């Protein structure tokens, strides 16, 4: 019995084996060539410039007038593992914007640049960790300067000024200077520059800033100056269009210098400002605002409660952004006659009421203006009166747009 079953399975195996064998005398089946998927794939035939543009959509980067925020993206890492070509292209995206979240990451990247020099050719934006209101250690400033000077050509830099002292005949025996952590002749194509003050110590403005002739955007955050900036020492920037002041006393020291910048159009004043900067009086706090240059003015968190009627004489301002405190406490009829867009920054702690809207919407020239409300976080009082505000805007011929910006700034 066992032998018959064994023979039966043996015969079946032989028949199956012969079925897969092709005799030499018979016609062979056409040979099949396995294609090289990497060389014949449609995507692999795309030009590198096109692939680079496609990969750029994977970059997660959010920009505002205040900051740049990048987030870690796993998709780019996966793309870089496909092949060597894609790895090189993905590296251009990954290292385009380098943002540091800790001092340790700065020191590590400084070491990476010393061993991997090819990275220095693809970095275009550097965002160093800032110590707002606190002095920066010399070791960290040395790392800032080392990284900045190893990069070949930056288009955007966000860093802290170096503070040096020289013997002088001043009262305290020292004269202080703000110094850029950039070597002479480096990054002449720099377009965007954000500088943080090194603590609260006043010092002279960095004269080397005038060497960046292509600079179109400049931000000074927490910078304190010991004297007004003169165009004789620091020539005006010919292409500067956007200027941001965040804290410090720059708003009092750079009025004349800003007036001499021929293409300046957008002014951002953010955060607490000195008491001498008072927009609530009848006189403008800066001559720049009434000189016919500024078309966009952003004023929020300054610590002041209202704006004077001088704003109505600023014929060049077409776009204006205010916080709720300034908007709600200012009297009617203060807005410029050429105003096309009015934006309102509402924070969670603001007590929003319809009285302020009703007061301003009934006055000229607020009619037919695009009114944008920026809600960075949920505000209960605004949510309660939102529908009534829509009705009021419709009656006043005001075009209303509400933007929920709560998800705009990503936290990493």
């Amino acid at each position: 019995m066992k032998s018959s079953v064994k023979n039966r399975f043996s015969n079946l195996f032989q028949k199956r084996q012969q079925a897969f064998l092709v005799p030499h005398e018979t016609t062979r089946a056409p040979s099949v060539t396995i294609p090289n998927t990497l060389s014949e794939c449609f995507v692999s035939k795309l030009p590198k410039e096109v692939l680079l543009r496609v990969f750029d959509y994977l970059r997660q980067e959010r920009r505002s007038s205040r900051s740049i925020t990048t987030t870690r993206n796993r998709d780019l890492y996966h793309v870089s593992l496909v092949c060597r070509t894609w790895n090189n292209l993905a590296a251009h995206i990954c290292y385009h914007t380098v943002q540091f979240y800790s001092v340790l990451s700065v020191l590590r990247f400084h070491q990476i640049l010393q061993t991997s020099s090819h990275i220095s050719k693809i970095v275009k934006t550097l965002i160093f960790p800032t110590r707002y209101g606190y002095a920066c250690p010399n070791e960290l400033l040395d790392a800032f300067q080392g990284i900045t000077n190893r990069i070949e050509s930056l288009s955007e830099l966000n860093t802290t000024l170096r503070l040096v002292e020289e013997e002088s005949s001043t009262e305290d025996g020292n004269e202080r200077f703000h110094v850029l952590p950039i070597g002479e002749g480096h990054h002449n194509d720099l377009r965007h520059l954000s500088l943080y003050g090194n603590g609260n110590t006043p010092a002279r403005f960095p004269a080397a800033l005038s060497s960046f002739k292509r600079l179109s955007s400049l931000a000074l955050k927490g910078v304190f100056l010991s004297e007004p900036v003169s165009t004789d020492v620091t020539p005006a920037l010919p292409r500067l269009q956007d200027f941001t002041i965040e804290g410090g006393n720059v708003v009092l020291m750079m009025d004349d210098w800003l007036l001499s910048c021929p293409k300046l159009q957008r002014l951002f004043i953010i955060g607490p400002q000195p008491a001498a900067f008072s927009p609530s009086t009848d006189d403008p706090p800066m001559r720049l605002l009434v000189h016919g240059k500024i078309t966009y003015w952003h004023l929020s968190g300054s610590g002041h409660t209202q704006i004077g009627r001088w704003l109505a004489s600023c014929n060049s301002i077409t776009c204006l952004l205010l916080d709720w405190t300034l908007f709600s406490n200012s009297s009617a009829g203060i807005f410029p006659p050429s105003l096309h867009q009015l934006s309102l920054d509402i924070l969670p702690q603001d007590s929003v009421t319809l009285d302020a809207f009703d007061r301003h919407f009934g006055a000229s020239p607020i009619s037919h203006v695009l009114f944008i409300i920026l809600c960075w976080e949920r505000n209960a009082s605004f949510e309660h009166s939102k529908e009534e505000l829509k009705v009021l805007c419709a009656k006043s011929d005001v075009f209303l747009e509400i933007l929920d910006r709560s998800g705009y700034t990503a936290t990493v």
Side-chain angles (χ1 to χ4, degrees), residues 55 72 76 100 127 139 142 144 158 169 199 202 255 268 273 284 309 311 330 364 366 369 396 409 411:
F55 294 164
R72 297 176 179 87
L76 273 175
F100 302 98
I127 307 174
E139 294 80 6
D142 291 339
F144 289 174
N158 192 325
S169 58
D255 198 3
F268 303 82
Q273 301 298 322
R309 294 189 176 276
L311 184 59
S330 298
S364 179
I366 201 66
V369 168
S396 305
T409 53
T411 57

Side-chain angles (χ1 to χ4, degrees), residues 172-241:
D172 59 357
N174 294 315
E175 189 170 8
R176 299 178 179 88
F177 296 86
H178 287 303
V179 181
L180 291 171
I182 304 175
E184 186 177 356
H186 283 71
H187 311 304
N188 292 328
D189 292 335
L190 199 65
R191 306 298 175 90
H192 306 276
L193 181 61
S194 297
L195 299 173
Y196 283 79
N198 192 3
N200 297 323
T201 305
R204 286 188 176 185
F205 190 72
L209 192 68
S210 59
S211 61
F212 303 109
K213 302 297 183 181
R214 298 189 177 185
L215 200 66
S216 61
S217 176
L218 175 63
L220 300 179
K221 304 179 180 182
V223 175
F224 289 86
L225 300 178
S226 57
E227 61 184 17
V229 181
S230 172
T231 54
D232 297 332
V233 179
T234 307
L237 296 173
R239 298 189 181 184
L240 186 65
Q241 298 179 3

Side-chain angles (χ1 to χ4, degrees), residues 269-290:
I269 302 178
I270 304 167
Q273 301 298 322
F277 175 81
S278 180
S280 60
T281 61
D282 294 333
D283 298 323
M286 299 178 70
R287 292 191 300 119
L288 174 67
L289 294 170
V290 292

Side-chain angles (χ1 to χ4, degrees), residues 349-396:
Q349 64 271 21
D350 293 330
S351 299
V352 180
T353 61
L354 288 177
D355 295 339
F357 296 105
D358 197 10
R359 180 173 68 253
H360 288 296
F361 287 173
S364 179
I366 201 66
S367 299
H368 304 289
V369 168
L370 175 60
F371 190 70
I372 300 177
I373 296 181
L374 306 176
C375 299
W376 296 96
E377 295 182 34
R378 188 178 183 277
N379 183 292
S381 58
F382 175 70
E383 293 292 335
H384 180 71
S385 57
K386 183 187 296 185
E387 297 302 323
E388 296 181 37
L389 176 60
K390 292 179 180 179
V391 175
L392 179 61
C393 289
K395 291 181 179 180
S396 305

